[in-house]
Amino acid sequence: MGVSRRGLLAAGFAALALPGCGGGAAPQAEPDRKVEVFSWWAGPGEKEGLEALVADFAKHNPGIAFDNAAVAGGAGTIARTVLATRLQNDDPPDSYQAHAGRELTEDIRAGYVEDLRDLYEEQGWLDKLPGGLVQAITVNGAIHCVPVNIHRSNLLWYRPQTLASLGLTPPATWADFLAQADAIAKRGLTPLSIGPGWTQKHLLENVLLGVLGAQTYAGLWTGGTDWSSAPVLAALQVFTDVLARSDVATPAGDWQPALDRVVTGSAAYNLMGDWADAYLRTKGLVFTEGYGVVASPGTDRVYNFLSDSFTLPRGAPHPGAARKWLVECGSVDGQDAFNPQKGSVPARTDADRAKYTGYLAAAVAEWADAGTRVVGSLTHGVVADTAWNAKIDTALSTFVQDRDAAAFARAVAAGRTVS
C-alpha cells in the first residue's frame, strides 16, 4: 500500500533545521503555496480535462494555488519550443507535460528532470501500472515522469450521416479507403481532412502501421526493419496516395479545425487520436449517433499508444507543491476526474471503469484485453527521441511536397539516434 495522498510527502515538506544565532530554535519552512504547471492543454476537449484534474487537485490541496502555464497549438510542438528555452535558461516551471517514452531522453541526459522512483514506491504505483508502460518510462532504473492517461493514435473518425448519404461503411484497409476516395471526391467532398505538419506525421505513422503490420512497424524504430526495403517503400507510396486524396494543399490550422470538416460534412474522414472523442462531445454530438470511430485501416486489434505525463524539473521553484501535483496525476481520483473529460483512459489498472462510457468504455476494455497488440506512437514521443523526431519532421516536410519515398526513407534511416 502506498502512503495516503493526504499524507505528508517526504521531499520538500520536512522542517529544515537551519543554524541560528545563539542556539535558538530554527524557524520552520513554510510549505509551498503555488504550483506552476506547464502543458499544451489549451484547446477544446483538452482544457476541460485539465480543469477537472485541477479541481480535484484543489479539493485535496486547498492551500496551493494552481498556475496554469498552458501553451496552445500543435499537439505540444509549440509548447515544447517554449519549454526548451525556459529549461536552457534555468527557468523551469514546477512541473511540465511530456509524452511518456523516448521524448524525455534529451531532458534526462541534460539533467533537467528528477528521478521519481521514490515517489512511485511511496505511492505504490509500480503495482498499479501495466508492466509495459513502466518499462517504457524507466531509464537506467530511474523513472522521470508520472503518466496520467493512455491515448490511442490509430483511429478514423466519421459522421454516420455522411457515410449513409454516400452509401459507404468505414474502410477496413487503406486499399479500401483509396477505392472509396474517388467516389467521395466525385460527390464534392474531401475524402480525408488534414491539418498541419504534425497531423501529417500522425497520418504517416498509421498508414505505415496499417500497411506493414504491428511487428514490422515496431521494427522501424528499433532498427529491425530496413527503411529502404520494398515493403516500406510500398507503404510510403500508399501514404502519398492517401495524401493525394486529402486537402493537404489547404490544411487546417490544427487538428480541431480539421475534424470540424468532418462535423460539417465537407469531409468524409479524419484520422486522429482518441482525444477527438472529447472534442466532438463539446460540439454536442453523441457517440454512434452524431459521430463514429473505427481503428484506422489495417489496424484492427492494434493499440498505437501514447501517454501524457508530468515531471519534476530539477530546480523547480516549488518542489513540494510539484510533488503534490504529481501525486494527484498518479492517483485514482485524479485519473478518473481527468480522463473521461479528456477522452482518454487511465494509465492505472485499478481505476473505476463505471466512469467510462461511450467510446471510452470500449477503449478501456481494449487496452486491458490481453489479445490487443500494443505499439508506440512516433508523433507523440513513444518510439523516437526529440532529435530523431526533428529530423523526421524535416524530411517529411520535403516528402509531402516531392513525394520521393526513397529519399524520405534514406533521410529517416540516416537520422536515427541510437541510445
Side-chain angles (χ1 to χ4, degrees):
M1 293 292 291
V3 173
S4 167
R5 63 180 297 146
R6 296 179 184 276
L8 193 62
L9 294 174
F13 290 94
L16 301 178
L18 301 176
C21 297
Q28 299 228 333
E30 286 293 322
D32 296 338
R33 298 300 185 187
K34 171 185 174 182
V35 62
E36 182 194 12
V37 176
F38 188 98
S39 77
W40 54 81
W41 289 331
E46 300 172 329
K47 64 182 181 66
E48 287 84 1
L50 178 59
E51 289 167 356
L53 184 60
V54 171
D56 193 69
F57 174 74
K59 182 173 68 175
H60 293 99
N61 301 278
I64 299 177
F66 185 87
D67 183 358
N68 184 1
V71 175
T77 54
I78 297 172
R80 284 192 291 271
T81 300
V82 175
L83 177 65
T85 300
R86 291 191 58 175
L87 295 176
Q88 291 162 10
N89 291 335
D90 295 323
D91 180 30
D94 293 309
S95 183
Y96 65 84
Q97 181 183 358
H99 289 125
R102 295 194 65 189
E103 182 176 291
L104 269 174
T105 300
E106 292 182 11
D107 286 1
I108 294 169
R109 288 174 179 161
Y112 289 150
V113 286
E114 299 281 5
D115 180 7
L116 298 170
R117 180 169 282 275
D118 68 320
L119 187 61
Y120 272 73
E121 294 171 351
E122 187 177 87
Q123 297 296 316
W125 289 339
L126 292 171
D127 295 331
K128 303 303 181 184
L129 299 174
L133 178 58
V134 173
Q135 182 179 1
I137 60 178
T138 302
V139 179
N140 297 325
I143 303 177
H144 298 88
C145 65
V146 177
V148 68
N149 69 350
I150 296 293
H151 271 302
R152 188 178 189 181
S153 163
N154 56 312
L155 293 169
L156 192 69
W157 303 86
Y158 61 92
R159 286 272 273 168
Q161 300 92 322
T162 301
L163 294 195
S165 70
L166 295 167
L168 298 175
T169 57
T173 67
W174 284 110
D176 291 343
F177 168 79
L178 292 172
Q180 289 187 8
D182 291 338
I184 294 169
K186 286 179 181 177
R187 296 284 295 273
L189 277 63
T190 299
L192 182 76
S193 63
I194 201 76
W198 78 266
T199 72
Q200 295 160 31
K201 184 163 67 170
H202 186 110
L203 174 65
L204 169 68
E205 71 178 54
N206 287 304
V207 171
L208 291 172
L209 176 61
V211 176
L212 296 173
Q215 182 173 345
T216 304
Y217 168 84
L220 291 171
W221 320 117
T222 63
T225 298
D226 181 356
W227 274 90
S228 294
S229 66
V232 175
L233 293 178
L236 290 173
Q237 183 59 54
V238 172
F239 172 69
T240 66
D241 293 341
V242 171
L243 272 186
R245 274 73 171 184
S246 75
D247 50 2
V248 69
T250 56
D254 210 339
W255 67 271
Q256 295 101 330
L259 194 56
D260 285 342
R261 295 176 180 176
V262 172
V263 173
T264 63
S266 63
Y269 299 110
N270 179 264
L271 196 152
M272 189 45 57
D274 56 11
W275 46 93
D277 175 66
Y279 177 68
L280 291 168
R281 284 188 276 115
T282 69
K283 298 285 186 177
L285 301 176
V286 177
F287 180 58
T288 72
E289 297 176 12
Y291 65 98
V293 64
V294 294
S296 59
T299 70
D300 188 42
R301 295 184 62 76
V302 178
Y303 216 104
N304 189 2
F305 97 96
L306 58 138
S307 176
D308 294 302
S309 67
F310 284 90
T311 64
L312 176 59
R314 188 159 294 167
H318 310 99
R323 286 173 70 92
K324 284 196 170 184
W325 167 251
L326 295 176
V327 169
E328 173 69 27
C329 291
S331 70
V332 171
D333 287 353
Q335 294 197 8
D336 280 344
F338 172 79
N339 285 295
Q341 295 293 325
K342 178 64 165 61
S344 49
V345 300
R348 296 182 65 120
T349 58
D350 60 344
D352 184 357
R353 291 194 184 185
K355 295 183 181 294
Y356 300 86
T357 59
Y359 159 76
L360 292 178
V364 166
E366 190 155 2
W367 175 249
D369 187 341
T372 299
R373 181 67 185 266
V374 176
V375 298
S377 169
L378 164 67
T379 309
H380 305 283
V382 179
V383 295
D385 63 22
T386 303
W388 193 17
N389 247 314
K391 292 172 183 177
I392 293 173
D393 288 341
T394 299
L396 180 60
S397 179
T398 300
F399 182 36
V400 168
Q401 300 300 318
D402 65 19
R403 312 295 168 92
D404 187 336
F408 175 73
R410 288 193 298 271
V412 173
R416 180 173 176 235
T417 305
V418 179
S419 59

